[in-house]
């Protein structure tokens, strides 16, 4: 009986130790899960905090300025004695520079992604892709002065009437700057396409080019559209390039040969000044920022709709 009791006690001790280890492990896992959840929610909380601040400050602005005048007035002179608060000149400058940038970035980025994914050798890919992504690390203010002192003088040789500050030069430079974002994300999406789809295409007699265009690209369209949306958001939110090279005079025009100000350039202009907190001029940057957030959200929703449509098609 003494030996049996000892064995029972030893077995219960082993079980108790195992249960204790399991409890400690479960506690550790719960703590880790909680920390990971906090990390994931931090981005969401930051977004909500930004929107809340923009809304709070913008409400004070719209108590003074009619929202109808805000979207219909064609002049933006909040810092002048005869103040006007029409956001359209800033929107036109933002859309024009972004459109030029996307005209450059989307074709070049897509072609680069197709080449790196489907045609480049492993050695070429490992050499070209890091070099291409080095553009991401270049400060945007450097791109701004590059547009002002190099690209614009070159364009003036083609267009002699082009002013020193214009939307064409910075738009082109922004397009080059955005290429790595689009090419990298799109190439990752294409390389995620199963090799069996390529092999099936080759078995049907398709060439590598036909396979890349008609099989891989449609299959990766969700990731490619996501790359485009990232590029659009990057173009719309760009600050220093347009602030340096496009000018800071609000001008309601869609002509890229003219100078204009963008929403981000105006925010920088006012944020660097000495306007007192709570003044109508100071609150105007939050109203402009809110418009920028809404524009970016609209582009993201549009991209989600397009992505969903293509996902159902293919």
């Amino acid at each position: 009986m003494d030996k049996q009791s000892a064995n029972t006690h030893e077995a219960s001790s082993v079980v108790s130790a195992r249960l204790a280890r399991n409890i400690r492990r479960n506690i550790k896992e719960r703590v880790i899960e909680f920390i990971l959840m906090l990390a994931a929610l931090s981005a969401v909380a930051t977004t909500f905090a930004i929107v809340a601040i923009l809304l709070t400050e913008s409400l004070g602005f719209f108590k003074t300025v009619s929202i109808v005048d805000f979207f219909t007035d064609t002049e933006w002179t909040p810092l002048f004695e005869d103040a006007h608060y029409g956001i359209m000149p800033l929107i036109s400058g933002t859309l024009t520079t972004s459109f030029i940038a996307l005209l450059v970035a989307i074709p070049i980025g897509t072609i680069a992604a197709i080449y790196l994914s489907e045609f480049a050798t492993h050695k070429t890919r490992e050499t070209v892709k890091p070099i291409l992504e080095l553009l991401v690390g270049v400060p945007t203010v450097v791109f701004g002065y590059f547009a002002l002192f190099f690209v614009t003088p070159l364009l003036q040789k083609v267009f002699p009437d082009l002013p020193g500050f214009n939307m064409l030069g910075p738009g082109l430079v922004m397009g080059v700057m955005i290429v790595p974002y689009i090419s990298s994300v799109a190439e990752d999406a294409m390389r995620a396409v199963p090799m069996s789809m390529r092999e099936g295409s080759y078995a049907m007699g398709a060439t590598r080019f036909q396979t890349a265009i008609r099989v891989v690209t449609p299959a990766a369209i969700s990731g490619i559209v996501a790359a485009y949306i990232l590029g659009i958001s990057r173009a719309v939110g760009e600050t220093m390039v347009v602030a340096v090279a496009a000018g800071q005079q609000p001008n309601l025009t869609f002509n890229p040969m003219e100078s204009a100000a963008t929403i981000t350039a105006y925010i920088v202009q006012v944020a660097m000044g000495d306007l007192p907190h709570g003044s109508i001029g100071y609150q105007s940057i939050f109203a402009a920022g809110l418009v920028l957030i809404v524009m970016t959200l609209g582009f993201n929703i549009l991209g989600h709709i397009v992505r969903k449509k293509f996902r159902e098609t293919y």
Side-chain angles (χ1 to χ4, degrees):
M1 289 296 295
D2 292 339
K3 184 176 182 181
Q4 184 177 1
S5 299
N7 291 337
T8 302
H9 179 71
E10 183 179 355
S12 62
S13 299
V14 171
V15 172
S16 299
R18 186 180 303 167
L19 289 175
R21 285 196 302 270
N22 289 338
I23 291 173
R24 288 196 299 269
R25 184 179 64 183
N26 290 334
I27 293 175
K28 290 180 181 179
E29 289 180 353
R30 291 299 177 87
V31 171
I32 292 173
E33 288 178 4
F34 180 73
I35 294 173
L36 294 176
M37 183 185 68
L38 289 180
L41 292 178
S42 62
V44 179
T46 302
T47 303
F48 278 109
I50 292 173
V51 173
I53 292 173
L54 289 175
L55 287 174
T56 302
E57 296 290 343
S58 297
L59 287 176
F61 174 81
F62 288 118
K63 288 179 180 178
T64 305
V65 179
S66 169
I67 192 170
V68 176
D69 293 337
F70 185 69
F71 286 106
T72 58
D73 196 342
T74 58
E75 293 185 30
W76 179 262
T77 56
L79 306 182
F80 291 7
E81 184 176 351
D82 182 19
H84 289 268
Y85 301 96
I87 194 67
M88 289 308 298
L90 298 183
I91 293 178
S92 67
T94 301
L95 293 179
T96 302
T97 54
S98 300
F99 182 71
I100 296 171
L102 295 175
L103 283 181
V104 175
I106 287 179
I108 295 178
T110 305
I111 292 171
I114 293 174
Y115 171 75
L116 292 174
S117 174
E118 304 301 315
F119 297 95
T121 62
H122 177 74
K123 183 177 180 180
T124 302
R125 184 184 303 112
E126 294 302 316
T127 302
V128 172
K129 190 171 182 179
I131 295 175
L132 187 64
E133 291 178 347
L134 279 177
L135 289 173
V136 179
V138 178
T140 56
V141 68
V142 175
F143 280 110
Y145 284 105
F146 176 74
L148 181 62
F149 294 117
F150 182 79
V151 176
T152 295
L154 287 180
L155 292 174
Q156 287 174 332
K157 295 180 179 180
V158 181
F159 308 103
D161 296 332
L162 186 70
F165 294 101
N166 60 85
M167 293 186 284
L168 181 59
L172 295 175
V173 173
M174 283 168 54
V176 175
M177 186 180 66
I178 294 170
V179 165
Y181 294 91
I182 294 179
S183 63
S184 180
V185 177
E187 191 250 345
D188 291 339
M190 291 178 181
R191 288 181 62 82
V193 175
M195 185 59 66
S196 58
M197 296 185 66
R198 297 178 176 85
E199 294 171 349
S201 178
Y202 297 148
M204 296 295 292
T207 63
R208 292 180 67 183
F209 180 77
Q210 290 173 330
T211 300
I213 299 300
R214 300 181 180 180
V215 177
V216 177
T217 301
I221 195 66
S222 178
I224 294 174
V225 172
Y228 293 165
I229 296 301
L230 177 63
I232 293 172
S233 300
R234 187 70 181 83
V236 171
E238 175 52 38
T239 303
M240 292 310 301
V241 175
V242 290
V244 170
Q248 296 188 356
Q249 182 62 41
N251 185 17
L252 180 56
T253 178
F254 292 96
N255 183 0
M257 311 293 286
E258 298 182 13
S259 65
T262 64
I263 295 176
T264 52
Y266 170 74
I267 293 174
V268 170
Q269 179 186 2
V270 174
M272 293 175 62
D274 298 323
L275 289 176
H277 185 279
S279 65
I280 186 65
Y282 181 83
Q283 290 174 334
S284 66
I285 66 174
F286 293 96
L290 184 62
V291 172
L292 193 64
I293 288 285
V294 172
M295 289 173 60
T296 305
L297 178 62
F299 286 128
N300 278 273
I301 293 174
L302 179 62
H304 176 75
I305 293 173
V306 173
R307 191 162 60 242
K308 183 178 180 181
K309 180 180 179 180
F310 276 101
R311 189 177 296 167
E312 292 174 354
T313 302
Y314 294 100

